[in-house]
Amino acid sequence: MSDVVFSNILVESRLFTDVWWGKAEPIYITAYPRATANNKDAGWRLPKGQTKGKVGAVTNIYFSNIRCTGESGVYISGESRNKISNIYFDQVSVLLNKTTKETGGVYDRRPSNVEGLVKSSIAGFYFENTGYVSLMNSAVIWGANKPAYAGKAIEQKNTADIRVVNFHENKNAQ
């Protein structure tokens, strides 16, 4: 997937039980191979005749003027740096505020051929195994009910290159 623009969007997300894929991420990009047919119940996720999952690249994705409200942050993660690159955020705000009794503090990579549910503190913007990422004129706002599992405003692991310009973290939102 490449050359996609998302702009002028309001996103509201909340946690549901573990039977739902995802953990209330308002923006979510992953690039991991699908679960293989020898994983229990995974065969239906593959094209007919295939037994092994594949993964392509995600490049040149633009997010502009987006307001996110929910119980989790932006999640971008791939199997290697060359699978996710040239991801641009401009004027993207993420308000993290706990509104349900569902358990948080988990990143969900299902149905992939890697660990599906990863327990972790949750960042406002999380980047793992990515190429170039640009984060401009954006913010993380911690709500009045800041989740107990909240982590850093920006967290990066094995990111080739990240550009952060005019980023704001508001720790005391009402």
Side-chain angles (χ1 to χ4, degrees):
M1 179 186 335
S2 68
D3 304 312
V4 179
V5 176
F6 298 92
S7 65
N8 303 319
I9 300 172
L10 298 173
V11 179
E12 185 175 331
S13 61
R14 64 186 181 110
L15 288 166
F16 287 92
T17 64
D18 279 344
V19 298
W20 289 76
W21 286 350
K23 293 295 173 204
E25 303 91 347
I27 297 174
Y28 177 92
I29 298 173
T30 61
Y32 289 99
R34 289 286 232 182
T36 58
N38 42 349
N39 288 0
K40 71 175 186 177
D41 301 324
W44 66 270
R45 296 183 187 119
L46 301 171
K48 192 171 187 166
Q50 280 191 311
T51 58
K52 186 174 181 183
K54 298 179 181 179
V55 63
V58 180
T59 61
N60 300 323
I61 308 297
Y62 300 84
F63 297 95
S64 174
N65 193 29
I66 299 177
R67 303 293 172 256
C68 306
T69 302
E71 296 180 87
S72 193
V74 171
Y75 182 72
I76 313 294
S77 180
E79 77 170 351
S80 61
R81 289 179 179 177
N82 66 333
K83 294 297 182 182
I84 298 177
S85 189
N86 299 330
I87 309 297
Y88 300 88
F89 295 92
D90 187 12
Q91 299 178 57
V92 176
S93 67
V94 177
L95 168 63
L96 281 105
N97 196 42
K98 188 75 177 136
T99 58
T100 70
K101 293 181 181 181
E102 296 296 329
T103 303
V106 176
Y107 287 122
D108 189 352
R109 301 185 298 193
R110 296 175 294 177
S112 63
N113 204 28
V114 295
E115 183 179 0
L117 298 172
V118 180
K119 290 186 179 186
S120 177
S121 57
I122 302 299
F125 288 87
Y126 180 86
F127 309 113
E128 179 181 26
N129 298 328
T130 64
Y132 179 72
V133 175
S134 173
L135 184 58
M136 300 179 59
N137 308 311
S138 296
V140 169
I141 302 134
W142 303 106
N145 296 314
K146 181 179 178 180
Y149 49 82
K152 301 174 184 175
I154 302 171
E155 186 169 347
Q156 57 180 328
K157 295 179 180 177
N158 196 29
T159 301
D161 189 14
I162 185 168
R163 179 178 183 218
V164 179
V165 176
N166 195 26
F167 180 82
H168 179 72
E169 177 183 8
N170 182 337
K171 296 180 182 181
N172 300 313
Q174 297 297 323

